[in-house]
Amino acid sequence: MASVPNAPAPARARASASETASASDSPRGRVQQPRAVWAVAFACVISFMGIGFVDPILPAIGEQMHASHAEVELLFTSYLLVTAVAMLITGWVSSRIGGRRTLVLGLVIIVAFAALAALSPTIGAMVGFRAGWGLGNALFIATSLAVIVGSATGGVPGAIAIYEAAMGIGIAVGPLLGGLLGSIGWQWPFLGVSALMLVGLVGTLLFVPSTRTAPRPIGVLEPLKALRHRGLLVLSLVALLYNWAFFTVLAYAPLVLGLDAIALGGIFFGWGLLVAVFAVAVAPRLERRFGLVPVLVGTFVAMAIDLAVMAAWTDVPAVLITTIVISGAASGLNNTLVTQAVMQVAPVERPVASAAYSFVRFLGGGLAPLVAGLVGAAVSIHLPFWFGVVALLGAVGLLLAVGRRVEEAVEGSSAVVLPEIAGDSPAEVPVERR
């Protein structure tokens, strides 16, 4: 990675960004990657399958363990909140022991705690084991993104596309496999995650070389300090609001549908397919044609309308199922474009940017299921979806307020100095040289 002095012509910056995008969007460039990239990407698929695995068995867990909706939603809240807080230490750990060892540590923790979750005698024990799972998830997710971006050919956009494709495939296949295994018993999806992550662990040990994820040791507080840069903070807050809506659909909707594990698995398989397709095939094209901020604003508005329909017709299964599946398209676009923008705008090392961004966005993902479970039971099953609509409109407001400066920073990331975005001091944004 090299940085360009902060005074080159805008045309030169745009040309560099265009060349990087063209290289990364080439099918040949995406496929011809080092083995380390595909090994980590495979483990990412399994990791994100772990999220979808749980979806179809939420009603069964609640019924068999006599747990309320709020208690069942704690399976997501404990997992995601621990993931969020643990993100603050991921850079500190990986910069000292290396990317490979951090990936291995995270995978070992996931394998162990997923197996323990399957053996949980109570909902409280399962919530605790999911929290431990979240620690491993943080170490793995933050480091895997940094390793893929650092190892992949084709620049940041191509690397992000691989990462988001892995996420989309994992989220798509996870519910389907989770539904099939969950029809046998709610314990089996947890055991399936543990077994598959063990395969990912072996692949990481065999194919991922020892790599440094940062040129120097990273301090524990650096991700929090990085949020003083307004561009990173704004995009992280946008991601928090979006993740509130995302996890309302993912974690709360299965509880109000009242369907069995196989049916829920099929619904969220369709949703996940749209996540994958729109993340990899559609997002780059729309961004090139219309620009980052217009696409994000349009997508957030479309997703808000979709959730408004969910809120109005929550008790009509056919409408709720249709809108859940459709929301996958918006989720795919948002996942790719927001993550790519963060990695390009952030004027800090990738591990620091990834940790700061993930810390903020997973706070939204962790709180949304708990609030949905409590509000849905105490007030109305419709209200959690309205909260999601409000969150998405808040994200639109943030983008409209500062979107032009953020888009300029992304388009000219090879050289643009962000005096109004960077917080306390101007900062160069790095350009990728592949």
Side-chain angles (χ1 to χ4, degrees):
M1 182 175 68
S3 60
V4 178
N6 51 1
R12 180 179 171 187
R14 287 192 297 269
S16 175
S18 176
E19 289 169 6
T20 301
S22 298
S24 65
D25 290 334
S26 165
R28 179 188 177 105
R30 285 185 185 174
V31 173
Q32 293 182 347
Q33 299 290 345
R35 289 187 299 177
V37 172
W38 294 120
V40 176
F42 172 78
C44 285
V45 170
I46 309 305
S47 175
F48 286 109
M49 280 175 65
I51 298 176
F53 259 46
V54 179
D55 255 25
I57 59 173
L58 290 177
I61 291 173
E63 181 180 348
Q64 294 182 30
M65 292 195 166
H66 308 289
S68 67
H69 282 188
E71 289 173 320
V72 172
E73 295 291 68
L74 284 173
L75 294 174
F76 275 94
T77 296
S78 65
Y79 172 78
L80 291 169
L81 288 185
V82 170
T83 296
V85 175
M87 283 292 176
L88 297 177
I89 66 168
T90 55
W92 184 90
V93 173
S94 64
S95 66
R96 284 163 174 78
I97 68 174
R100 181 174 182 268
R101 290 179 180 175
T102 306
L103 289 174
V104 168
L105 176 61
L107 289 168
V108 167
I109 293 173
I110 294 172
V111 169
F113 279 94
L116 289 170
L119 305 176
S120 300
T122 64
I123 188 69
M126 189 183 298
V127 169
F129 291 136
R130 282 281 285 177
W133 188 341
L135 172 61
N137 188 57
L139 292 168
F140 176 77
I141 286 180
T143 310
S144 64
L145 179 56
V147 169
I148 288 177
V149 170
S151 302
T153 58
V156 171
I160 295 296
I162 292 172
Y163 180 81
E164 295 297 339
M167 184 185 74
I169 293 170
I171 288 178
V173 176
L176 185 62
L177 192 53
L180 294 173
L181 294 175
S183 65
I184 303 173
W186 64 261
Q187 299 91 343
W188 285 98
F190 291 114
L191 292 173
V193 170
S194 183
L196 289 171
M197 288 306 276
L198 183 59
V199 175
L201 173 60
V202 173
T204 301
L205 289 170
L206 289 177
F207 299 117
V208 178
S210 296
T211 57
R212 296 177 63 187
T213 56
R216 58 174 180 80
I218 293 173
V220 175
L221 297 180
E222 287 193 46
L224 292 177
K225 292 178 180 178
L227 292 172
R228 291 183 297 181
H229 296 274
R230 196 182 302 174
L232 177 58
L233 177 61
V234 167
L235 287 173
S236 297
L237 290 174
V238 166
L240 182 153
L241 293 169
Y242 157 66
N243 270 267
W244 188 288
F246 178 89
F247 280 100
T248 297
V249 175
L250 188 64
Y252 178 68
L255 295 177
V256 298
L257 276 172
L259 301 174
D260 60 25
I262 292 180
L264 288 172
I267 291 166
F268 280 93
F269 173 69
W271 170 84
L273 280 180
L274 288 184
V275 172
V277 170
F278 277 76
V280 179
V282 181
R285 290 179 172 84
L286 288 180
E287 184 193 9
R288 284 197 302 272
R289 183 167 182 178
F290 300 107
L292 174 70
V293 173
V295 173
L296 282 177
V297 169
T299 304
F300 284 138
V301 170
M303 191 170 181
I305 294 171
D306 191 63
L307 261 73
V309 176
M310 291 186 201
W313 286 280
T314 306
D315 48 2
V316 182
V319 174
L320 189 56
I321 290 169
T322 302
T323 50
I324 287 171
V325 174
I326 290 173
S327 71
S331 295
L333 293 174
N334 292 331
N335 287 342
T336 292
L337 296 179
V338 176
T339 302
Q340 179 178 318
V342 167
M343 296 301 283
Q344 290 182 289
V345 166
V348 292
E349 293 97 333
R350 293 179 191 131
V352 177
S354 179
Y357 163 65
S358 297
F359 166 67
V360 176
R361 68 168 172 153
F362 281 126
L363 288 178
L367 292 173
L370 177 61
V371 172
L374 291 172
V375 171
V379 183
S380 167
I381 62 171
H382 305 269
L383 195 54
F385 295 112
W386 286 120
F387 282 2
V389 172
V390 172
L392 289 165
L393 294 179
V396 170
L398 276 175
L399 285 173
L400 292 177
V402 298
R404 182 181 60 82
R405 294 195 296 272
V406 170
E407 189 165 45
E408 286 174 355
V410 173
E411 290 178 350
S413 60
S414 61
V416 172
V417 175
L418 310 174
E420 297 183 39
I421 294 178
D424 52 345
S425 62
E428 287 182 13
V429 180
V431 63
E432 301 304 321
R433 299 295 188 194
R434 296 292 180 193

